[in-house]
Amino acid sequence: MSEETRREPVDNFPLRTPPVDNPPRTPPTLPVSDVFLPSTYAQAVPYELYDRLRREAPVCRIPEPAVGPWREGPGYWGVFRHADVKHVLRAAGDFSSHLGATQIRDPDTPADLAFVQAMMLNTDPPDHSRLRRIVAAAFTPRAVRALERTIAERAASLFAGGECDFVEVAADLPVWTLAHVMGVPDEDRRLLYDWASRVIGYQDADYAGLSTADAASLSPIGRLATASRPRLGPGMNPRSRAALADMFAYAHALAEATHGESVMSAMMDGGLTEAEFENMFFLFAVAGNETLRNGIPGGLLTLLEHPAELARLRADPSLLGSAVEEMLRFWPPVMDFRRTATRDLTLGGRSVRAGEKVVVYHASANRDPSVFPDPDRFDVARTPNDHVSFGFGPHFCLGAHLARVQFRALFTELLAWDVELAGAPVRLTSNFQNGLKHLPVRLTRHRGKPVDLGS
């Protein structure tokens, strides 16, 4: 029996409501389609709607209307309570990452689906376990500790007095760190920024076709990649293999140029298929980049919107660890992920059929009052903090420790500065990434007591 169809034991994580036969629990006036629409998130994450759904329809059908060039989808089950979200993420045998991949939108063609199914993010055990073992060495605590000093030094070099767009400043650290881990030459780092923008921001016109790398300053393999970049036609999915031909050309050239000396060449030699290798580069270049590029500016904006908590953190920098976790809870960089039901089952009292999409909302789970007292209050000392911003279960983020190190390094440096908004923040149009495109700020060296985080 194939991995896609084999049923694994259902875990013991309790569901919150007894099985019933799909009663009409969603009030007809509830604008549930707003949960799906990317334009909703260009204004704000709809936390009030999430709250109503957790109370009134914690598992419910969400329509997928056509958006721009993207055709209408079949709809999906949205999951909004913390317990149900963790249940879905844990029970890989019932909720597959592989069958339909993990984005709400279905891949355009069977060939597109088959390609993305080779990505570690879109696999189920045992394939997921095999791929995770191949790359795990790059993210062990020992490997991350070896990077901590250089990450801290890089973070300290990013700031200067005056006005800046903090989104651009914050983007440097994850791109620099990933380039270091992957063996990408310094002159090609901007390519990682552009590829991540095109993939994650494909619903936003400002990002979908972004190209900021200066071809003249790239390495030879970087120039080779830019020469392979396709023109994105109307309706072409920027996440497809064809649309990312330049990124995959670069991945192969990098592995060959750094043979035996980089994580990418080690993965090529580790038994990956061509599709697995290309998708692993995709995952490194995008997931490890955009999560921090969106999460760190979001964390700063949250602090600026809660000046008493910022003052509290500045007065007691030992709270930085819990503050980072609270920033991640309050501004989860990834708002949702999809699974596909492998069999007919009951979830949150609703009957879900085999093959139907099930989308868990991390952003809603992180505000569940049954887990987080006073969930809409930002508290830099909150503990415990059982947020799901790095996922849960078999797909818990492999780079979570490295991400936390970068968060702490950047905010350690920021505590030495007074920061104020210098303009209106601009949000990313995306129903997946909780991102900012612009965060204008003014930096001035803090004149208070020097920050001392100890040894």
Side-chain angles (χ1 to χ4, degrees):
M1 186 178 295
S2 71
E3 177 63 25
E4 293 88 341
T5 58
R6 188 180 70 242
R7 178 183 171 187
E8 296 180 2
V10 178
D11 60 69
N12 295 321
F13 208 92
L15 298 180
R16 292 190 168 273
T17 51
V20 292
D21 189 23
N22 288 355
R25 295 168 61 189
T26 305
T29 57
L30 200 63
V32 292
S33 62
D34 285 359
V35 169
F36 168 75
L37 292 173
S39 57
T40 297
Y41 300 88
Q43 305 303 316
V45 179
Y47 284 114
E48 291 186 7
L49 177 54
Y50 289 164
D51 183 56
R52 291 181 63 187
L53 289 168
R54 280 193 308 271
R55 287 184 283 107
E56 301 171 7
V59 177
C60 65
R61 292 294 296 175
I62 307 293
E64 288 181 78
V67 176
W70 318 119
R71 63 180 180 271
E72 180 181 10
Y76 58 90
W77 292 101
V79 182
F80 298 95
R81 286 182 179 169
H82 189 274
D84 294 337
V85 166
K86 291 185 78 170
H87 172 73
V88 170
L89 294 175
R90 175 185 282 172
D94 286 338
F95 302 99
S96 172
S97 298
H98 182 75
L99 290 179
T102 52
Q103 294 290 299
I104 295 177
R105 181 187 174 202
D106 291 319
D108 293 329
T109 68
D112 286 343
L113 174 60
F115 177 67
V116 299
Q117 282 175 326
M119 184 183 295
M120 183 171 68
L121 191 67
N122 299 327
T123 57
D124 298 324
D127 282 340
H128 176 259
S129 305
R130 173 181 62 84
L131 293 172
R132 195 172 175 104
R133 281 194 299 269
I134 291 173
V135 300
F139 298 101
T140 63
R142 180 179 179 181
V144 173
R145 278 196 301 272
L147 288 171
E148 284 188 16
R149 181 179 295 275
T150 54
I151 288 173
E153 291 171 351
R154 185 70 184 183
S157 73
L158 295 178
F159 299 100
E163 293 189 7
C164 66
D165 187 340
F166 188 75
V167 171
E168 286 292 322
V169 174
D172 179 273
L173 186 61
V175 170
W176 180 88
T177 303
L178 280 171
H180 190 85
V181 169
M182 298 168 69
V184 172
D186 285 349
E187 57 265 41
D188 293 343
R189 289 203 313 266
R190 198 67 183 181
L191 288 172
L192 298 178
Y193 176 94
D194 286 350
W195 288 323
S197 298
R198 285 158 53 190
V199 168
I200 295 298
Y202 77 95
Q203 295 168 332
D204 192 303
D206 290 340
Y207 273 24
L210 197 68
S211 179
T212 64
D214 177 11
S217 66
L218 298 174
S219 73
I221 61 173
R223 290 194 294 274
L224 172 67
T226 58
S228 304
R229 183 179 179 183
R231 288 185 175 273
L232 295 183
M236 186 177 188
N237 187 348
R239 302 177 62 93
S240 67
R241 190 178 197 180
L244 293 169
D246 53 334
M247 184 173 76
F248 298 131
Y250 185 89
H252 287 284
L254 177 66
E256 184 176 339
T258 59
H259 190 262
E261 300 175 357
S262 73
V263 169
M264 301 315 301
S265 69
M267 288 194 295
M268 179 67 90
D269 295 338
L272 298 182
T273 67
E274 180 178 2
E276 287 172 342
F277 171 77
E278 291 179 355
N279 274 284
M280 198 65 77
F281 188 93
F282 181 120
L283 195 58
F284 267 68
V286 175
N289 180 340
E290 282 299 294
T291 299
L292 288 161
R293 178 172 152 189
N294 292 322
I296 289 173
L300 176 60
L301 181 58
T302 301
L303 285 170
L304 294 177
E305 291 176 339
H306 298 83
E309 291 302 293
L310 175 55
R312 184 184 181 194
L313 177 59
R314 195 186 297 282
D316 184 4
S318 69
L319 293 174
L320 184 58
S322 59
V324 165
E325 299 306 312
E326 182 70 342
M327 285 183 252
L328 287 164
R329 180 190 77 86
F330 213 80
W331 188 290
V334 174
M335 294 180 289
D336 55 74
F337 261 115
R338 169 193 170 175
R339 298 293 188 263
T340 301
T342 63
R343 63 182 181 91
D344 293 352
L345 51 82
T346 300
L347 176 65
R350 308 305 300 270
S351 297
V352 179
R353 305 304 180 194
E356 290 184 328
K357 303 182 196 182
V358 177
V359 177
V360 294
Y361 280 85
H362 304 69
S364 175
N366 283 356
R367 301 287 183 103
D368 190 330
S370 70
V371 178
F372 305 100
D374 198 1
D376 295 321
R377 179 172 62 89
F378 180 69
D379 177 5
V380 295
R382 185 183 294 272
T383 185
N385 197 333
D386 190 22
H387 67 76
V388 290
S389 295
F390 287 126
F392 185 74
H395 284 275
F396 182 80
C397 177
L398 189 61
H401 184 48
L402 182 59
R404 287 179 167 118
V405 166
Q406 293 177 80
F407 251 94
R408 287 195 297 270
L410 221 148
F411 281 97
T412 295
E413 179 62 24
L414 269 177
L415 290 180
W417 295 85
D418 289 323
V419 187
E420 59 180 338
L421 286 175
V426 180
R427 289 186 55 85
L428 178 70
T429 300
S430 173
N431 60 11
F432 177 54
Q433 281 276 336
N434 186 15
L436 290 169
K437 293 191 292 187
H438 301 290
L439 181 60
V441 298
R442 186 175 299 107
L443 298 171
T444 309
R445 270 290 178 184
H446 183 60
R447 296 183 179 180
K449 183 181 177 181
V451 174
D452 181 8
L453 294 176
S455 58

